Amino acid sequence: LLNGTTGTGACSGGRLGDSCQLFPICPAGTVATNTTRNCSSGGTVAGSGNWTGQLPSCDSPPPPPRVLLLYDDSTRASTVQSRLTALGFTVTIWPNFAVWPTLTELAPYITGAVICFWGSQPADVTAGGNLLASFYGSGGNVIFTPWAACFGMVSGAWASNGYSLFSTPGYGVQSAASIRVDEPSSPLVAGVGTWTHPGQTLCYNPVNGGVSVVSYLNAGTLPLVIRKPGTRIVSINVMLEFIPAGSEGWKVVSNAIRYNGEGLPLRSLT
């Protein structure tokens, strides 16, 4: 009785504008999709308050999030790869920083993220910006970290769409600091406790309407995790390899990889 057939679900009192939730029993290995219905559309509402219309589908679940590291330093990348792998991610290091991947090569990471770090200018900042904007538009997440977030920045569509959350030049050294959660309801900090972050180089000048989710407690308004409202754009203002293994900070990184936007559940790791 699924995949395009019709059925009935209960609406709350049958009032127009109410929603009903359909809970089909799906075969093993599949998940229910498109389960929410509005009582005023997509079907008819009987006097009893029941909604009748098209039923949800049982589809194969999306693949678990995969991560691609666009790094110009293999040692740093290997550390990040090891720690993300321990969290359950499949992580690949892009082998040639001098050449951008194609959008086709990024396709396996659509359900996850590309994480960017470099301390030198990328090969073609316009092509890189266009590529990352297209990848984001296709559903993938792009996470910039220092220095890529504020040095040797990409241009092209990434910049023109206002996706860059820090400006250049604008980086320096922040001493070790406790963190402050500025948006405790954000999915980016779901299940995250407090921690002290080690000192390191980071970006100083937030731009393009970025909202701080987590900030450095002893550095005023300097964000540690920043998001762009209305998007899935997140920048983590820390070199990931400096986050100690087992730190609560890695939970933030995991959440950023799986981020669907404010008010939406994180992508599943399984």
Side-chain angles (χ1 to χ4, degrees), residues 1-8 24-25 53-58:
L1 295 177
L2 298 170
N3 297 319
T5 60
T6 59
T8 298
I25 299 175
Q54 189 176 38
L55 286 173
S57 297
C58 285

Side-chain angles (χ1 to χ4, degrees), residues 8-12 19-24 33-39 56:
T8 298
C11 281
S12 176
S19 293
C20 59
Q21 189 81 29
L22 308 180
F23 297 97
T33 58
N34 195 23
T35 60
T36 301
R37 297 292 185 273
N38 188 292
C39 292

Side-chain angles (χ1 to χ4, degrees), residues 65-69 80 84 87 89 91 109-115 139-143 188 232 234 236 240 250-260 266-267 269:
R66 297 179 61 185
V67 179
L68 181 68
L69 302 179
V80 175
L84 287 176
L87 294 176
F89 293 100
V91 185
Y109 307 96
I110 287 293
T111 59
V114 171
I115 300 179
N141 286 341
V142 179
I143 301 170
L188 290 165
R232 304 185 318 277
V234 176
I236 300 179
L240 302 186
W250 283 106
K251 294 181 182 179
V252 175
V253 179
S254 174
N255 291 349
I257 292 168
R258 300 182 293 132
Y259 186 57
N260 271 323
L266 297 170
R267 300 173 183 182
L269 249 178

Side-chain angles (χ1 to χ4, degrees), residues 112-187:
V114 171
I115 300 179
C116 301
F117 166 88
W118 49 75
S120 58
Q121 187 81 12
D124 184 333
V125 292
T126 300
N130 291 338
L131 170 73
L132 295 175
S134 294
F135 174 73
Y136 170 77
S138 299
N141 286 341
V142 179
I143 301 170
F144 275 89
T145 69
W147 293 299
C150 54
F151 173 79
M153 297 167 65
V154 295
S155 54
W158 189 266
S160 62
N161 289 340
Y163 292 161
S164 298
L165 296 182
F166 290 96
S167 65
T168 186
Y171 57 92
V173 176
Q174 166 65 40
S175 60
S178 298
I179 61 97
R180 176 183 63 215
V181 176
D182 300 316
E183 288 193 324
S185 64
S186 173

Side-chain angles (χ1 to χ4, degrees), residues 182-198:
D182 300 316
E183 288 193 324
S185 64
S186 173
L188 290 165
V189 291
V192 179
T194 60
W195 78 98
T196 297
H197 189 74

Side-chain angles (χ1 to χ4, degrees), residues 173-178 180 202 204 215-223:
V173 176
Q174 166 65 40
S175 60
S178 298
R180 176 183 63 215
L202 44 70
Y204 275 176
S215 57
Y216 289 91
L217 188 60
N218 66 351
T221 58
L222 184 63

